[in-house]
Amino acid sequence: MSGTAPAPEHGWTAALRRRLVAALPPEKLLPDTQPAYMASWVYVFGVLTVSSLVVVLVSGGLLALKGPAWWHVSSVGKYVNSLHLWSVELFMFVLVLHLWAKFFMAAWRGRRALTWVTGAIAFLTSIGTAFSGYLVQQNFDSQWISDQAKDGMNAVGIGAFWNVLDFGQMLMWHIVLFPLGLCLLSGWHVLLVRMRGIVPPIDALTPGPDRAPSGQEGRA
Amino acid sequence: MRCGSHRTGTPESPAFPARPYDLIKEVTIALVLVALLTAGLAALFSSPDERPVTLGSWSRADSADFTTTAVSELGGTSATAEYGPPYNHTPGAGQKIGPIGLQSLAGVRVPIDTANDFVIQPLRQAPEPPLVTDALTAWSAAPASRQQAWTSAYSDALGKAPDSDPAHVAPGDYGPVPVLTARLLELAQSGALDGELLTEGGKFYQTDYTRPLLFLGDGSYFADLAQSRHLTGDQWGMMNETGNYPGQPWLWLYTFWYQIDPFKSSDNADALIWGLMALLSLVLVLVPFIPGIRSIPRWTRVYRLIWRDYYRAQQRSPR
């Protein structure tokens, strides 16, 4: 085996790798410790939101495999559609609780404003995604929703380009563009949480090197 | 300032004491829990799926409403015919936010001519008896003012007939309108009109339901069905779903504005509410940068409940 030394790291790829590793070292990306102040059930709503989104995507993917009309003519399809509906209801429920909790924690403090912004835009994207899903159900509900929604869209000029009465256009948005945007935003949001860490309590004092707050000893 | 600590804005989280945590384990447990809960709810409650209304089912269930609507499409007096952008150029149509008419600015990009697209073209596409062919010729040869006079007279007569039944309309000068609308009703009742509206222009593949949905929406049958299912705007319909199922409760704020003045009585309600919701959405996104709003958490002190263990420990710690 030859003993040639590795070439020095240079170029865009190496620079990007260095930046990514510096911003998100493995212990931040996949932590095995957490700040001791994270002692509340409120924190589970974030991970429940991500988990619900996974179930939404998997059940929606199953529906996409068989086409948009499948669930109207198949009992298995109807059950998969029911999984999709209830996972969406759960997703939105825990997402709203997560959002309110983060609001009352003022979770944007300490250079975390972008984390809040990405989360809020992801929430709005979720509403758009769910809305387009209601438009492509191919039943009475979707007929009525599209007929009513067109007035709102048209009133501000959106309907001229984004036609809620066009089933094909809405289907593509629902199964491709909205989920893609939502996944990218959610991924960005989670990575920002990992990069910046969990926001400390309001008015928290940085513990000095000589002691930790009583009752919160642990790995630093 | 407390002994052994300093305060320089929000401290970094790694500076605090830590405790063991297993991210992957937490995600796995949450995923399993959500999957099981979803599977249980789906098995227990299933999901709603009320069959769509077709032009065929509408015309068979309420032929009078279908015919009345067809006359209004032919005469250019239906909601769609007078809608304005993006469907057609109707003077004065289109909502505004103050002086700004975004609806008009966007232009006519989904052109709809209700007389031609909903009535005349479908009749021409179908094989027609000579009576209908003659009626189509007479309609096309007449000036617009004459066409309007025929449809207006027939619409009035339909309104006065018992149950708006075309069979009981009083005699009058309606031109070819009764023949055209009667034939359209036959086509609709046979189910042919549903397909014809989709395949206008010689299309085979089709996924755009703009025409049949607009036609359906112009009648009162469709709206009455929605009203009976509590789906209309003044029934908080945006949050509701057919049957006893949860709909979109996260739209509560959007549908809330439609229940109160000045929005619910405004001709520009949709534009005003969309504008307001766009503004509120922007506020939500920019909360960290808006003085006052970003201070609400500090004023309400809900955070004291969330981090109560931390604050309790702080109170116990020696000064």
Side-chain angles (χ1 to χ4, degrees), chain A residues 174-195:
Chain A
H174 182 66
I175 66 174
V176 180
L177 300 175
F178 272 132
L180 181 64
L182 182 56
C183 287
L184 290 175
L185 281 165
S186 302
W188 188 9
H189 180 73
V190 170
L191 287 178
L192 284 171
V193 172
R194 297 266 54 93
M195 282 170 64

Side-chain angles (χ1 to χ4, degrees), chain B residues 21-193:
Chain B
Y21 169 60
D22 192 334
L23 176 66
I24 298 302
K25 186 177 176 183
E26 183 179 297
V27 170
T28 305
I29 291 172
L31 190 57
V32 169
L33 274 177
V34 170
L36 287 175
L37 189 55
T38 303
L41 288 167
L44 206 57
F45 299 115
S46 188
S47 50
D49 188 21
E50 189 169 327
R51 290 176 66 82
V53 179
T54 64
L55 299 176
S57 65
W58 168 28
S59 59
R60 288 189 291 273
D62 193 344
S63 58
D65 181 54
F66 178 87
T67 302
T68 302
T69 308
V71 174
S72 69
E73 305 292 10
L74 197 56
T77 56
S78 68
T80 300
E82 298 178 331
Y83 197 93
Y87 306 128
N88 39 55
H89 298 283
T90 303
Q95 296 192 26
K96 291 181 177 177
I97 305 174
I100 302 169
L102 294 173
Q103 185 168 348
S104 297
L105 284 174
V108 176
R109 299 184 65 90
V110 189
I112 301 285
D113 171 358
T114 58
N116 194 53
D117 295 337
F118 293 172
V119 183
I120 302 300
Q121 275 299 322
L123 289 174
R124 286 200 173 124
Q125 278 178 202
E128 297 300 348
L131 183 68
V132 178
T133 307
D134 292 345
L136 283 169
T137 305
W139 175 266
S140 301
S145 58
R146 190 81 190 115
Q147 292 173 344
Q148 283 187 350
W150 284 333
T151 52
S152 177
Y154 192 57
S155 179
D156 291 343
L158 264 179
K160 291 173 185 167
D163 299 324
S164 297
D165 185 350
H168 297 106
V169 168
D173 181 13
Y174 312 128
V177 174
V179 175
L180 296 176
T181 53
R183 179 57 179 158
L184 195 74
L185 177 64
E186 284 178 9
L187 284 178
Q189 290 178 331
S190 73
L193 186 59

Side-chain angles (χ1 to χ4, degrees), chain A residues 3-186:
Chain A
T4 53
E9 292 184 345
H10 66 278
W12 293 8
T13 306
L16 178 63
R17 184 175 64 237
R18 279 196 299 273
R19 286 196 62 173
L20 289 177
V21 172
L24 266 175
E27 62 274 18
K28 269 192 176 182
L29 193 61
L30 292 172
D32 59 355
T33 63
Q34 68 178 7
Y37 55 75
M38 283 182 67
S40 170
W41 282 100
V42 155
Y43 288 104
V44 304
F45 292 121
V47 74
L48 284 175
T49 304
V50 174
S51 304
S52 305
L53 179 59
V54 170
V55 179
V56 170
L57 292 170
V58 170
S59 57
L62 289 174
L63 286 174
L65 275 177
K66 300 291 283 185
W70 173 52
W71 70 280
H72 299 285
V73 294
S74 156
S75 56
V76 176
K78 182 77 180 289
Y79 182 69
V80 174
N81 180 72
S82 305
L83 289 175
H84 197 53
L85 168 75
W86 287 104
S87 58
V88 169
E89 295 286 348
L90 282 173
F91 169 75
M92 296 302 286
F93 180 70
V94 292
L95 172 56
V96 169
L97 288 176
H98 172 65
L99 190 153
W100 276 114
K102 293 303 164 186
F103 175 78
F104 284 114
M105 294 157 82
W108 50 80
R109 289 171 294 120
R111 297 187 302 137
R112 292 176 179 83
L114 189 58
T115 313
W116 172 273
V117 168
T118 53
I121 296 176
F123 169 61
L124 297 173
T125 308
S126 302
I127 291 176
T129 313
F131 170 67
S132 61
Y134 279 86
L135 295 176
V136 298
Q137 294 177 92
Q138 295 187 318
N139 55 20
F140 177 79
D141 198 34
S142 55
Q143 284 182 309
W144 179 252
I145 291 174
S146 58
D147 181 71
Q148 295 296 290
K150 78 175 191 306
D151 296 328
M153 300 291 168
N154 291 337
V156 288
I158 297 173
F161 308 95
W162 202 74
N163 183 6
V164 293
L165 303 173
D166 186 338
F167 167 79
Q169 187 186 11
M170 292 305 103
L171 183 66
M172 298 308 287
W173 274 83
H174 182 66
I175 66 174
V176 180
L177 300 175
F178 272 132
L180 181 64
L182 182 56
C183 287
L184 290 175
L185 281 165
S186 302

